[in-house]
Amino acid sequence: MGRAELLEGKMSTQDPSDLWSRSDGEAELLQDLGWYHGSLTRHAAEALLLSNGCDGSYLLRDSNETSGLYSLSVRAKDSVKHFHVEYTGYSFKFGFNEFSSLKDFVKHFANQPLIGSETGTLIVLKHPYPRKVEEPSIYESVRVHTAMQTGRTENDLVPTAPSLGTKEGYLTKQGGLVKTWKTRWFTLHRNELKYFKDQMSPEPIRILDLTECSAVQFDYSQERVNCFCLVFPFRTFYLCAKTGVEADEWIKILRWKLSQIRKQLNQGEGTIRSRSFIFK
């Protein structure tokens, strides 16, 4: 039995999430990779890279979808992109490429940028974000003013956080008064959908507050394909993407945003109702 067959038998008996293969035929623990963050969630990965990373910062984590899949999370300007990486037991697959080790993967894309399929954004892997980060042991002293009363109770301490799902790209938008179609650069961050004249414009033409949006859906009333609309009380915005896949991605993330907004509103209403009951 050759060395390759021995290695194959060794690797096939272990959990894929416990190791990664090297091109020299040896196996190392995936945990030894300093920028592998294990079961870190997508939400937490975005928070880390947006708060502490820079353009080109990246980390590897377990995919939230299924075992055997990993997610490469990369910061690109003011957003975070996520890419699937599949471990076969002997190599890592990324798109149409296959690498015998993660080091080969990073070495390859350090010089050949990743391309975001939905936006065409070029992304280069520059800075691995370490799993272990040293923090200074500096703490502020606390002085409690016992006479201070805010009137709040433990029922008011409801944890909330703005969603970190982001997206950006070019869409064709129908004008409001003059029904012409123009291509604009759109960015989705938190509960705001902004559109600019182009990607390099510093100031947006308009900012749409998604808390005022009532629906997002495909639209077939226009003489264009891959169209969808956002319904506001004051106007319905008609947008078109280059492909049906891209339109579907925009619709999914916008609908997810609306569901999160409604969930937060329902939580707020529930808190108000509980207070009304207490003070009756």
Side-chain angles (χ1 to χ4, degrees), residues 100-134:
S100 58
S101 72
L102 279 177
K103 289 185 178 179
D104 289 343
F105 171 84
V106 175
K107 182 179 179 181
H108 178 79
F109 285 104
N111 298 301
Q112 299 189 30
L114 309 173
I115 299 178
S117 60
E118 72 276 7
T119 61
T121 305
L122 297 181
I123 305 170
V124 181
L125 305 183
K126 296 178 182 178
H127 313 289
Y129 192 93
R131 182 173 63 252
K132 297 181 179 179
V133 180
E134 291 188 5

Side-chain angles (χ1 to χ4, degrees), residues 13-33:
T13 59
Q14 300 188 53
D15 186 340
S17 64
D18 290 338
L19 52 82
W20 56 290
S21 59
R22 281 174 38 183
S23 56
D24 59 7
E26 297 295 334
E28 290 187 356
L29 293 178
L30 184 59
Q31 293 289 346
D32 292 338
L33 196 64

Side-chain angles (χ1 to χ4, degrees), residues 81-102:
K81 308 296 182 184
H82 305 274
F83 304 91
H84 270 152
V85 179
E86 180 183 2
Y87 180 66
T88 66
Y90 318 104
S91 63
F92 285 88
K93 285 186 175 181
F94 181 82
F96 296 106
N97 299 296
E98 191 166 357
F99 303 90
S100 58
S101 72
L102 279 177

Side-chain angles (χ1 to χ4, degrees), residues 147-157 275 278-279:
M148 183 177 181
Q149 299 292 330
T150 64
R152 295 193 303 167
T153 69
E154 64 274 11
N155 293 328
D156 297 312
L157 305 180
R275 289 178 181 173
I278 290 173
F279 289 106

Side-chain angles (χ1 to χ4, degrees), residues 2-276:
R3 179 179 177 84
E5 293 173 327
L6 284 171
L7 178 61
E8 180 178 342
K10 178 181 179 182
M11 296 179 70
S12 62
T13 59
Q14 300 188 53
D15 186 340
S17 64
D18 290 338
L19 52 82
W20 56 290
S21 59
R22 281 174 38 183
S23 56
D24 59 7
E26 297 295 334
E28 290 187 356
L29 293 178
L30 184 59
Q31 293 289 346
D32 292 338
L33 196 64
W35 44 277
Y36 169 61
H37 288 245
S39 58
L40 186 74
T41 65
R42 178 190 181 108
H43 187 100
E46 291 180 350
L48 278 178
L49 294 175
L50 287 173
S51 300
N52 303 324
C54 56
D55 189 10
S57 294
Y58 63 92
L59 59 86
L60 184 74
R61 59 186 177 82
D62 297 338
S63 172
N64 298 334
E65 298 178 4
T66 182
S67 60
L69 279 180
Y70 299 95
S71 292
L72 184 73
S73 301
V74 189
R75 174 165 173 175
K77 295 184 179 179
D78 296 324
S79 63
V80 176
K81 308 296 182 184
H82 305 274
F83 304 91
H84 270 152
V85 179
E86 180 183 2
Y87 180 66
T88 66
Y90 318 104
S91 63
F92 285 88
K93 285 186 175 181
F94 181 82
F96 296 106
N97 299 296
E98 191 166 357
F99 303 90
S100 58
S101 72
L102 279 177
K103 289 185 178 179
D104 289 343
F105 171 84
V106 175
K107 182 179 179 181
H108 178 79
F109 285 104
N111 298 301
Q112 299 189 30
L114 309 173
I115 299 178
S117 60
E118 72 276 7
T119 61
T121 305
L122 297 181
I123 305 170
V124 181
L125 305 183
K126 296 178 182 178
H127 313 289
Y129 192 93
R131 182 173 63 252
K132 297 181 179 179
V133 180
E134 291 188 5
E135 298 179 357
S137 181
I138 301 174
Y139 296 90
E140 184 74 17
S141 60
V142 177
R143 179 176 296 175
V144 179
H145 198 300
T146 56
M148 183 177 181
Q149 299 292 330
T150 64
R152 295 193 303 167
T153 69
E154 64 274 11
N155 293 328
D156 297 312
L157 305 180
V158 179
T160 59
S163 59
L164 292 173
T166 60
K167 188 171 176 59
E168 58 185 17
Y170 280 106
L171 294 169
T172 305
K173 185 186 76 68
Q174 186 186 67
L177 297 177
V178 182
K179 303 301 181 181
T180 56
W181 294 85
K182 294 183 179 180
T183 300
R184 296 291 184 238
W185 178 258
F186 282 77
T187 64
L188 175 62
H189 184 65
R190 300 186 185 277
N191 293 332
E192 292 183 339
L193 180 65
K194 303 178 183 179
Y195 60 89
F196 303 75
K197 182 177 180 181
D198 54 48
Q199 189 174 359
M200 304 306 295
S201 298
E203 297 296 330
I205 297 174
R206 188 165 187 170
I207 302 175
L208 300 177
D209 185 356
L210 293 180
T211 61
E212 300 176 0
C213 182
S214 60
V216 179
Q217 59 197 27
F218 271 108
D219 182 82
Y220 304 99
S221 64
Q222 308 301 316
E223 295 181 356
R224 288 171 174 258
V225 295
N226 309 321
C227 286
F228 59 98
C229 64
L230 286 77
V231 181
F232 287 83
F234 54 89
R235 176 182 164 187
T236 297
F237 290 82
Y238 295 94
L239 309 172
C240 290
K242 289 183 179 180
T243 65
V245 173
E246 187 176 351
D248 187 57
E249 289 177 352
W250 275 104
I251 290 173
K252 284 182 178 178
I253 193 168
L254 286 167
R255 283 179 173 173
W256 179 80
K257 288 280 190 181
L258 296 187
S259 69
Q260 296 299 306
I261 292 170
R262 294 190 185 103
K263 186 183 296 184
Q264 292 180 4
L265 290 175
N266 291 336
Q267 288 177 346
E269 290 175 358
T271 303
I272 292 173
R273 284 195 297 268
S274 65
R275 289 178 181 173
S276 300

